[in-house]
Amino acid sequence: MNVKKVLYFDVDGTIVSNEDKLLVEEKVFRRLMQDGVLTAVATGRTPLHIMRLVNKIGFNFYNIIADGQVLFYQGNYIVNKMFGKTDYIHIANLLKEEYYIICEYENGYFYFDKMASRIFGHVFGSEKNYIVGGVEKYTGLFNVPFRIFVASKQYQKSEIIKKKIDLELTGFADVFCYGDLWLELRPQNLNKRDAFLLAKKLSEQKEKYEYSYFADGKNDILMMQEVDCGFAVGDAAEELICLRKCQYIENISLYLKLVQKDLEK
């Protein structure tokens, strides 16, 4: 049985800079795919912030999106782990009296009241371009959001309200500070590894693959431990570089060009 190569790429800090510039030329990805290499991203970005890049490059394997909440392959989403509908309703009902709430779906941010929209847009600038209306106007693929943002109606700092919400949402969501006023809620215990294992299970029903992963963060460690070849890129976390099966490469663009030349021999 022929073994096909699959290259997975973390996005931020690996193939996209802090200034949101692509660090690898588009033609490098396309030539790799023309030579039979399968490519995909494994990113914490949600569909709202990654699908333009996925469609532009044409990544052609199971893309891992939103830290593994969903896979995207051949124009379709496959759910791995999102908020349960009853959990989402519980969270919303628990928080809506004391907190402003913004919900992020695959096609925009939806607010519970307009004041939440104004505050969120004022604080995060360009994010406001994605605010498309109240929750009653949502029409899309998923009946639960990828992320929930909450801010105190008393304008308390995020690190203060985080302690309270952590206790209230134990078992329902992981809570992160998102700026000085907002908290970000995601499904509990997300990781890219579980989504990768699902992609591997789905893909290996017919063929065998060799998986490589290029990444730079601590949140990539679990998935890096599952692939055949791991590469810590650029300013990668020391914990990632020190993994047994992980090689360090400083310039991912140069390395991929060398891979491409080897394939063409």
Side-chain angles (χ1 to χ4, degrees):
M1 180 182 293
N2 292 330
V3 178
K4 291 188 175 181
K5 292 183 180 296
V6 178
L7 305 186
Y8 266 105
F9 301 95
D10 175 42
V11 174
D12 294 292
T14 300
I15 61 171
V16 172
S17 71
N18 292 335
E19 294 77 32
D20 210 30
K21 302 294 185 182
L22 199 59
L23 298 173
V24 179
E25 294 177 85
E26 293 177 33
K27 65 181 180 182
V28 174
F29 292 115
R30 295 199 178 103
R31 285 175 181 170
L32 286 168
M33 288 185 279
Q34 287 170 6
D35 290 331
V37 177
L38 298 167
T39 64
V41 296
T43 180
R45 292 193 185 193
T46 54
L48 189 62
H49 299 288
I50 192 59
M51 290 313 300
R52 182 179 297 178
L53 178 63
V54 168
N55 292 325
K56 182 180 182 181
I57 301 298
F59 293 111
N60 59 352
F61 198 66
Y62 290 88
N63 293 282
I64 298 170
I65 295 175
D67 278 327
Q69 291 191 56
V70 294
L71 302 174
F72 182 79
Y73 179 59
Q74 294 185 341
N76 297 304
Y77 287 102
I78 301 164
V79 174
N80 175 49
K81 183 179 183 180
M82 298 183 71
F83 285 115
K85 182 67 173 179
T86 54
D87 289 349
Y88 165 58
I89 292 171
H90 171 80
I91 292 168
N93 288 336
L94 189 66
L95 300 178
K96 65 183 180 182
E97 296 300 324
E98 295 184 49
Y99 301 95
Y100 295 119
I101 300 175
I102 293 276
C103 294
E104 182 187 337
Y105 292 84
E106 79 282 358
N107 58 354
Y109 294 101
F110 291 77
Y111 52 79
F112 273 49
D113 56 65
K114 289 186 178 180
M115 183 57 73
S117 169
R118 291 175 190 149
I119 296 171
F120 191 82
H122 175 72
V123 172
F124 296 108
S126 62
E127 299 278 2
K128 66 186 178 183
N129 296 327
Y130 294 105
I131 296 177
V132 293
V135 289
E136 72 280 357
K137 297 179 181 179
Y138 169 71
T139 56
L141 297 173
F142 304 99
N143 62 4
V144 292
F146 285 89
R147 300 191 289 178
I148 302 169
F149 297 92
V150 299
S152 167
K153 292 182 178 179
Q154 304 302 317
Y155 300 100
Q156 294 176 295
K157 294 289 187 179
S158 55
E159 64 265 23
I160 294 174
I161 62 173
K162 182 180 184 301
K163 296 177 182 178
K164 180 181 179 183
I165 290 181
D166 267 333
L167 292 174
E168 292 177 336
L169 297 184
T170 299
F172 292 94
D174 287 330
V175 184
F176 308 92
C177 289
Y178 194 79
D180 291 335
L181 292 177
W182 290 87
L183 295 177
E184 175 189 343
L185 280 54
R186 290 197 180 200
Q188 200 164 47
N189 299 323
L190 278 178
N191 65 74
K192 298 176 184 178
R193 177 189 61 187
D194 291 346
F196 168 70
L197 293 176
L198 174 60
K200 190 175 179 181
K201 178 181 177 181
L202 292 172
S203 62
E204 292 188 347
Q205 293 174 357
K206 295 181 179 180
E207 297 190 70
K208 185 70 176 175
Y209 299 91
E210 179 185 271
Y211 301 93
S212 298
Y213 185 31
F214 298 81
D216 73 324
K218 293 181 183 179
N219 65 324
D220 299 301
I221 290 175
L222 292 176
M223 178 169 163
M224 193 71 80
Q225 291 171 331
E226 297 291 340
V227 298
D228 300 295
C229 304
F231 299 91
V233 177
D235 295 325
E238 191 66 28
E239 294 89 339
L240 197 66
I241 295 172
C242 291
L243 289 178
R244 181 177 56 83
K245 63 167 65 175
C246 197
Q247 303 177 49
Y248 174 74
I249 56 173
E250 184 174 358
N251 188 318
I252 186 173
S253 180
L254 178 60
Y255 181 84
L256 291 176
K257 288 177 181 178
L258 294 174
V259 171
Q260 177 195 321
K261 286 184 179 179
D262 284 343
L263 289 169
E264 291 175 349
K265 288 180 180 178

